[in-house]
Every structure is written in C-alpha cells, then in structure tokens.
C-alpha cells in the first residue's frame, strides 16, 4: 500500500465525522448502536470541521491527494516558520479535543476521537522529537513529486484546469528544494537516505515529461507560454538540487539510519495503535516463523515424494534437511516465471483471475470503480516492488492504480533471474491478491465509502496491510488456483516475508543488525531471493516502524475473525463477516474488533 509521503504535512481531512449506525453483524442482522450525547457529538463534529479547514490550508499537497481541490495551486511551507505554524495548529487541536468528554460520544465518534488524537500526537512527536525534517531528505523529494503527480495522474477536473494548477505549483516547487537545503543537517542525514534521494531527484521530471509536456499545445497561447517557463524553471531547480545532493549532501551525510530503541518504541506505538509491545511482536513473529517453516516442509514432503534425486524427507528433519527440502520444493515453483517484459501483463491477468474467484465464490462485495495496473512512476521507485494507490476519499469514482516497478534496463541476466524467481508466476498471483482484489484496491474502495471523512482519510496502515496479508491466506484456504500445493507453498513463503519484516525492523533499528544478519534472516530463514532481500535491506534502512504493520495487522485480523467464529458458531457467514469488517472505514483493527464484538472502545 502506498502511504502518504508527506511526513510533516500529513494530518488528514478531519471533517465529516458523523454519528453512524453500527454496520450489520456477520449474520446479516443489525447490531445494536450506542448513541452518544447529541451536544457532545455536535461539538466533536464542529472540531472536525474547523480542523479540516485549518489543515487544508496548511497541507495543500496532501489535500489534493485526499480530494479537496481548493488549494491545488499551492504547496506546503516547510520553512522553519511554516513548520512551527503547523505544530502550533496541531497542539491547538489537541487542546480542543481535550475539552471534549469523549466518554459521551457515540461509539463511532469515540473511535474517530481516538484516531484523531493518535494522529495529532504522532505528528507533534515527529516534529519535536524525531525531527524528520532535519535528517530525512525523502520528505522533500516525495512532496515535490506528489505535488505534480497528485494533480496529473487522475482526471478529477478538466485537463486545462489541472495544467494551470501544475503551472502554479511548478513555479513554487523550487521553494521546497531550497527549504530542504536550509533544513537538512548533513551530519544527521544517513548516507543511504542521501544516496536514494540523489537517485530519485530527477524522477520528478519524468512526471512532467509524461503528464504535462505533451499537452502544452492544448492551452491558450499565454497559458502555454507560462507553463513552458515553469517547466524550464523547474528543470533548472532540479539540476541545482542534483548538484547539491551529489556535491554536498551525499559526501557529507554522516547520520545513523538506526533510530534506536527509545525512538523506535515511541514511533511503533503511534504507527500501530496496537496493544502488542515490541517484545510481544518479536516473540510472536519468531514463533510464527518456526510454525510456517514446518508447514512448508509438510508441503515439500508431498510435492517431492518419489521424485528421483530429491532430498531426504524424514518425519523429524534436522534444520539442514528441512532447509534443503523446502528449497527443492520452491524450485518447482520458480520454474514457472514470467518473461522479463511480461511482469505487468501477468499482473493484469492475475488480477482479473483473483477478481473472478472472489465473485464466483461470493467472498465479499466487489468494487464498482476502476483499477489500472501501471508502471511505477520513476520518483517512487527504489523502496517497494509494487503499491496500491487508491484515489483520495473526497475524489469519488476515480481510478485506483496498482503500480509495479519495472525491471531496470541495466540489470544483468543474473539479477533479472533472481528477481523473476522471487516474483514467479504464483507470486504474481499473490501480489495481485495483496495489492488488488481482494486486498488493498478492494479494501480502499470500501473504506472510502465510510461516512466519516476522518476515518476514511486516516485509514490505518495496520488495518490495510493486515487485511491484504489476511486475504492471501483466505484465498488459499478457499481453494484459489485449484488448491495447487505449490501455490500454498508460495503463499506461505510470501507470509514468511510478512513475518520477517517484523523481525527485521526490530533487528535493524534496535538490535543494530548488520547487513549479513539481515540477509541471513531473509534469504535463509524466509527463502527470499538475493534481489528481493537486498531491496528490503535498503527499505529497512530508509523506513522504521512501518514494516511491522503487515504482521501485526494480519495477526489482529486473524484473531478477530476467530473471535467472531467462536461467537457465532454455525451462524458465521464469511461474506457477511468480510463486508462488516470492511464497513468500518479501516480504523486500527482493535477498534473494528471492539465495534464488531460490542466491546468498550479503548
């Protein structure tokens, strides 16, 4: 899932926090709703509206992504004074929230209040304690790219209008580069962050070349002339920034990419909004790693039985015997892989197949809005192989983009083979399940329909990533690809990636793991190919407290489904359960569970 890139400017559109009836229970009956105090709910709605108006003015680039287009010609102010203005506004909103008796809100608004408080406190902590704007150049690069991509990628308004907004933004974008040079302290910038942004910097011009330059002639002469001047100015600013990145930032970047135990635990608390601690997450992940490898060995015993020259398959294998058997079984799956130039085509076919499977088996309500599989924009490459980019919750009936990063032209045959063994044909199916249907694309469509704009915009990464992982297992359990044992094997391997993500993140940022330790976990314990593991090592350095969202969210989804099955017994209906879970607007999973099981909102 593509997270909002604006680490400083991201406080979501906080309006429209309505009291709503509880969604239908998983049996199809109506769950009881708990009404709040009308006056208190009204006060909370007023706070949400005031917060919305304040935020849209302070965060116009994110506002465009969310679907409020009043400020499409503006950009965020990342100067010291601009950041202080945002911080003051957030603290004021927290103070206003403190004056509301949350216990008197409706249950849905209690959830929204908790989400709002966590987001505001997270932003304040990030600004005052983590201080990302002083050491993370990805903020500025991501914001510059998003300023244009958010305007041009979707047809939310006539092209001439969007081009005029893009012109105005391009005229202002040099400010972001200047603010990056002013704010960033090279001594605090990690080398990997500086090098990554130096590689991505010119990617913003690919957005211009793809979405803007071909349409200059469609504007009136004066508007076209102004647009061309803005493009020329941006190109000059990008080259100036490239020189600074190459000559100043990269050579002098001396920061540690590891944020350490104290900051990690605080960031993890905000990122997950979960009751699980770092220690509990690590313990549960290591136990799951062991269990899943045992299940994979069981499949290996089946698919390798009686194969000539195969490994020994004892009932109680040693570690080496288990490793050899699983690797041999995976080789059978790796043999079926897409051609170098067919990864995107295969992803499209896999998405169509997974969508039809959900429809045929009536597993959940399918979206009625379009999804396009696209090549990942250049400025986004280098962190993940794929992501799902849903339209903003205020932009209705627009396309979702399932973006796939192309194989770099300069990769050797060995690198390409490593990549395609990892993203073999069965893995492409899992990727399309995770990013498309019934994963992020489907979940994002459901979340966007929730009446609370706050809930829709502050869509929990824990919920979304956990849901996508949950659907991988669910689809396998329902017999996807005709109960193919090799698909099950690859699904378990993909799940091992989720497990190892949680272990890796702690290992890197808290336990000071070396690259060798990280690579052993990924390539040996989790059977990842060298290219995938190398990319994840880079991602683990560039991010923190995001990789565990997959594992923790999945565990909470698995636990919630089991709790509902235990409660309803024979009355449990899978489609009704899925639709009810998705109807809550993607809050942290623990809140969805409390709403679903009629528990106190805590």
């Amino acid at each position: 899932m593509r997270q909002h890139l604006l680490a400083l400017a991201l406080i979501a559109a906080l309006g429209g926090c309505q009291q709503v009836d509880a969604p239908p229970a998983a049996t199809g009956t109506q769950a009881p709703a708990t009404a709040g105090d009308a006056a208190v709910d009204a006060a909370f709605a007023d706070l949400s509206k005031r917060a919305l108006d304040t935020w849209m003015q302070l965060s116009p680039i994110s506002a465009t992504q969310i679907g409020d287009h009043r400020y499409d010609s503006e950009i965020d102010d990342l100067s010291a004074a601009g950041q202080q203005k945002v911080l003051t506004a957030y603290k004021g909103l927290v103070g206003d929230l403190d004056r509301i008796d949350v216990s008197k809100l409706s249950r849905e608004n209690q959830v929204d209040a908790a989400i709002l408080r966590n987001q505001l406190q997270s932003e304040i902590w990030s600004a005052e304690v983590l201080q990302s704007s002083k050491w993370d150049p990805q903020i500025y690069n991501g914001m510059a790219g998003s300023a244009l991509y958010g305007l041009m990628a979707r047809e939310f308004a006539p092209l001439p209008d969007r081009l005029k907004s893009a012109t105005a933004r391009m005229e202002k974008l040099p400010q972001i580069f200047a603010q990056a040079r002013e704010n960033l302290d090279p001594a605090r910038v990690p080398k990997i962050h500086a090098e990554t942004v130096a590689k991505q910097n010119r990617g913003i011009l690919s957005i211009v070349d793809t979405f803007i330059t071909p349409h200059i002639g469609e504007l009136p002469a004066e508007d076209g002339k102004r647009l061309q001047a803005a493009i020329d100015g941006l190109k000059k600013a990008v080259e100036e920034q490239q020189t600074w990145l190459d000559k100043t930032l990269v050579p002098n970047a001396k920061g540690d990419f590891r944020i350490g135990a104290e900051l990690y635990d605080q960031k993890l608390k905000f990122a997950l909004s979960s009751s699980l601690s770092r220690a509990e997450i690590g313990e549960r992940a290591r136990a799951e790693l062991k269990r899943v490898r045992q299940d994979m060995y069981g499949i290996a015993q089946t698919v390798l039985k009686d194969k000539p020259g195969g490994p020994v398959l004892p009932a109680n294998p040693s570690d080496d015997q288990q490793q050899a058997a699983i690797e041999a079984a995976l080789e059978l799956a790796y043999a079926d892989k897409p051609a170098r130039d067919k990864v995107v085509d295969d992803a499209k076919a896999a998405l169509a197949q997974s969508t039809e499977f959900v429809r045929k088996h009536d597993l959940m309500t399918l979206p009625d809005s379009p999804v396009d599989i696209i090549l990942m924009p250049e400025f986004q490459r280098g962190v993940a192989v794929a992501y799902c980019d849903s339209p903003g919750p205020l932009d209705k009936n627009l396309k979702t983009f399932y973006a796939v990063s192309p194989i770099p032209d300069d990769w050797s045959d060995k690198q390409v083979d490593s990549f395609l063994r990892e993203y073999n044909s069965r893995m492409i199916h899992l990727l399309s399940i995770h990013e498309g249907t019934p994963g992020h694309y489907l979940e994002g469509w459901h979340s966007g329909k929730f009446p609370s704009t706050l809930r829709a915009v502050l869509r929990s990464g824990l919920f979304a990533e956990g849901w996508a992982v949950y659907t991988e297992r669910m689809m396998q359990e329902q017999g996807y690809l005709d109960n193919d044992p090799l698909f099950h094997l690859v699904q378990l391997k993909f799940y091992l990636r989720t497990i190892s993500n949680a272990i890796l993140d702690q290992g890197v940022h808290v336990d000071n793991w070396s690259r060798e330790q990280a690579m052993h976990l990924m390539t040996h314990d989790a059977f990842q190919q060298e290219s995938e593991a190398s990319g994840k090592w880079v991602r683990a350095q560039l991010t923190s407290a995001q990789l565990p969202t997959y594992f923790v969210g999945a565990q909470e989804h698995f636990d919630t489904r089991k709790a509902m099955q235990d409660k309803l017994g024979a009355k449990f209906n899978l489609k009704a359960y899925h639709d009810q879970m998705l109807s809550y607007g993607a809050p942290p999973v623990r809140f969805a569970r409390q709403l679903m099981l009629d528990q106190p909102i805590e």
Side-chain angles (χ1 to χ4, degrees):
M1 170 193 173
R2 178 178 177 227
Q3 300 295 320
H4 285 300
L5 298 169
L6 317 181
L8 288 173
L10 176 60
I11 179 67
L14 306 176
C17 301
Q18 305 169 35
Q19 180 181 344
V20 297
D21 292 335
T27 58
T29 60
Q30 188 72 16
T34 304
D37 184 299
V40 182
D41 279 326
F44 183 67
D46 179 68
L47 168 60
S48 299
K49 186 179 185 307
R50 287 186 288 107
L52 168 64
D53 290 337
T54 300
W55 175 80
M56 289 299 178
Q57 296 177 44
L58 295 175
S59 306
I61 295 175
S62 268
T64 297
Q65 292 178 320
I66 288 161
D68 186 317
H69 299 291
R70 292 177 293 170
Y71 304 101
D72 281 353
S73 297
E74 305 300 323
I75 64 170
D76 299 44
D77 181 2
L78 294 183
S79 67
Q83 292 185 49
Q84 184 57 51
K85 184 177 181 180
V86 172
L87 184 61
T88 299
Y90 290 171
K91 288 183 175 180
L93 292 173
V94 172
D96 291 342
L97 185 56
D98 286 341
R99 287 185 282 275
I100 292 177
D101 187 347
V102 174
S103 67
K104 294 182 179 180
L105 292 172
S106 68
R107 283 169 59 78
E108 293 289 355
N109 276 341
Q110 287 179 36
V111 172
D112 280 1
I115 294 171
L116 173 57
R117 182 180 298 278
N118 183 76
Q119 182 67 36
L120 291 170
Q121 290 178 337
S122 174
E123 295 292 342
I124 292 168
W125 175 84
S126 181
E128 294 187 329
V129 180
L130 192 60
Q131 299 182 339
S132 302
S133 66
K134 296 182 180 180
W135 60 264
D136 189 356
Q138 296 176 102
I139 292 170
Y140 306 92
N141 184 67
M143 187 170 289
S146 296
L148 298 181
Y149 186 74
L151 286 173
M152 303 308 303
R154 289 191 174 86
E155 298 177 358
F156 59 83
L159 180 61
D161 293 345
R162 291 182 286 125
L163 288 172
K164 290 178 183 178
S165 296
T167 299
R169 280 192 171 169
M170 281 191 286
E171 291 170 343
K172 297 165 185 172
L173 281 179
Q175 297 173 24
I176 289 181
F177 298 134
Q179 288 163 352
R181 297 190 292 269
E182 176 68 23
N183 295 342
L184 290 169
D185 177 1
R188 296 179 62 180
V189 175
K191 179 75 74 174
I192 185 67
H193 289 64
E195 291 174 342
T196 298
V197 169
K199 293 176 184 177
Q200 293 175 334
N201 177 60
R202 289 193 177 99
I204 190 175
L205 298 180
S206 70
I207 302 174
V208 177
D209 293 340
T210 300
F211 293 104
I212 298 176
T213 302
H215 302 289
I216 294 176
E218 299 177 36
L219 292 176
E222 284 301 312
D223 291 336
K225 183 178 179 180
R226 181 184 170 192
L227 174 55
Q228 185 61 62
I231 293 172
D232 294 341
L234 178 61
K235 288 181 177 179
K236 181 179 178 181
V238 167
E239 289 308 312
E240 181 182 3
Q241 184 75 349
Q242 192 69 49
T243 299
W244 178 78
L245 290 167
D246 293 339
K247 301 290 182 64
T248 300
L249 188 63
V250 172
N252 295 291
K254 308 295 184 185
D256 188 350
F257 61 81
R258 299 176 175 86
I259 66 174
E262 183 178 358
L263 290 178
Y264 183 86
D265 286 346
Q266 292 172 333
K267 188 174 183 181
L268 193 70
K269 180 181 177 182
F270 288 125
L272 300 184
S273 192
S274 170
S275 59
L276 294 177
S277 67
R278 167 167 52 94
E280 290 168 330
I281 293 168
E283 181 180 353
R284 193 161 179 173
R286 287 185 289 272
E288 277 286 83
L289 181 68
K290 181 178 179 180
R291 180 190 68 79
V292 171
R293 283 176 58 95
Q294 289 171 343
D295 288 350
M296 294 176 76
Y297 181 73
I299 296 173
Q301 288 178 301
T302 299
V303 300
L304 296 173
K305 184 179 180 181
D306 301 327
K307 281 196 176 292
V312 295
L313 301 167
N316 297 298
S318 67
D319 289 343
D320 288 344
Q321 289 171 331
Q322 183 191 69
Q323 188 76 16
I326 297 172
E327 288 178 349
L330 285 169
E331 285 295 330
L332 300 178
Y334 297 158
D336 186 8
K337 55 184 183 285
R340 176 174 184 154
D341 60 347
K342 296 296 184 182
V343 174
V344 173
D345 289 341
D346 284 14
K348 290 180 180 179
L351 179 60
Q353 189 168 341
S354 65
T355 302
E356 180 56 30
F357 185 88
V358 171
R359 178 181 292 109
K360 179 179 178 181
H361 292 266
D362 202 22
L363 297 176
M364 61 197 75
T365 300
L366 285 166
D368 59 5
S369 61
V371 57
D372 276 359
I373 298 181
I374 64 170
L375 288 179
M376 188 180 295
E378 186 176 344
F379 82 103
Q380 297 280 26
R381 297 175 193 170
V383 177
V385 171
Y387 63 72
C388 179
D389 182 9
S390 300
L394 302 183
D395 275 330
K396 302 301 183 183
N397 301 316
L398 296 181
K399 290 180 179 179
T400 292
F401 296 127
Y402 165 16
V404 180
S405 183
I407 297 175
D409 293 336
D410 60 355
W411 271 17
S412 67
D413 289 343
K414 182 179 179 181
Q415 287 175 301
V416 172
D417 182 67
S418 176
F419 178 86
L420 292 177
R421 283 163 59 84
E422 182 71 21
Y423 289 95
N424 57 77
S425 295
R426 291 175 178 85
M427 186 66 87
I428 293 293
H429 277 278
L430 281 163
L431 197 63
S432 291
I433 288 170
H434 181 104
E435 302 292 351
T437 304
H440 287 314
Y441 158 56
L442 183 143
E443 180 269 317
W445 178 81
H446 279 271
S447 297
K449 296 173 73 68
F450 191 75
S452 164
T453 306
L454 182 147
R455 185 90 57 90
V457 175
L458 287 183
R459 176 182 170 199
S460 166
L462 185 84
F463 185 104
E465 297 296 0
W467 170 262
V469 174
Y470 162 82
T471 63
E472 298 161 18
R473 179 190 293 186
M474 183 275 297
M475 291 283 277
Q476 184 279 319
E477 291 173 342
Q478 295 299 312
Y480 187 68
L481 295 188
D482 298 322
N483 291 299
D484 173 20
L486 290 179
F487 176 72
H488 190 188
L489 185 70
V490 173
Q491 179 263 316
L492 290 174
K493 175 186 165 174
F494 204 30
Y495 181 44
L496 278 182
R497 186 188 299 187
T498 291
I499 298 168
S500 63
N501 279 348
I503 299 172
L504 175 67
D505 205 52
Q506 294 187 18
V508 168
H509 289 284
V510 177
D511 300 325
N512 297 317
W513 275 15
S514 65
R515 186 181 190 276
E516 289 69 29
Q517 288 173 292
M519 293 298 286
H520 180 80
L521 168 72
M522 291 184 284
T523 60
H524 178 274
D525 297 352
F527 303 100
Q528 294 177 26
Q529 294 295 302
E530 178 77 21
S531 61
E532 170 65 23
S534 296
K536 189 59 62 67
W537 166 246
V538 172
R539 181 174 175 180
Q541 297 171 81
L542 292 172
T543 65
S544 57
Q546 193 275 327
L547 286 174
T549 58
Y550 302 84
F551 178 73
V552 176
Q555 296 305 299
E556 294 193 354
H557 274 292
F558 295 142
D559 291 349
T560 301
R561 174 173 155 179
K562 184 178 185 303
M564 284 300 290
Q565 288 174 312
D566 290 345
K567 177 180 178 180
L568 297 174
K571 294 182 179 179
F572 180 84
N573 177 274
L574 189 59
K575 179 182 182 180
Y577 170 79
H578 288 153
D579 283 353
Q580 182 177 357
M581 174 59 72
L582 292 167
S583 73
Y584 292 120
V589 185
R590 66 187 177 100
F591 292 132
R593 177 172 177 154
Q594 290 162 6
L595 290 168
M596 188 175 285
L597 295 173
D598 201 26
Q599 297 171 341
I601 306 300
E602 298 175 350

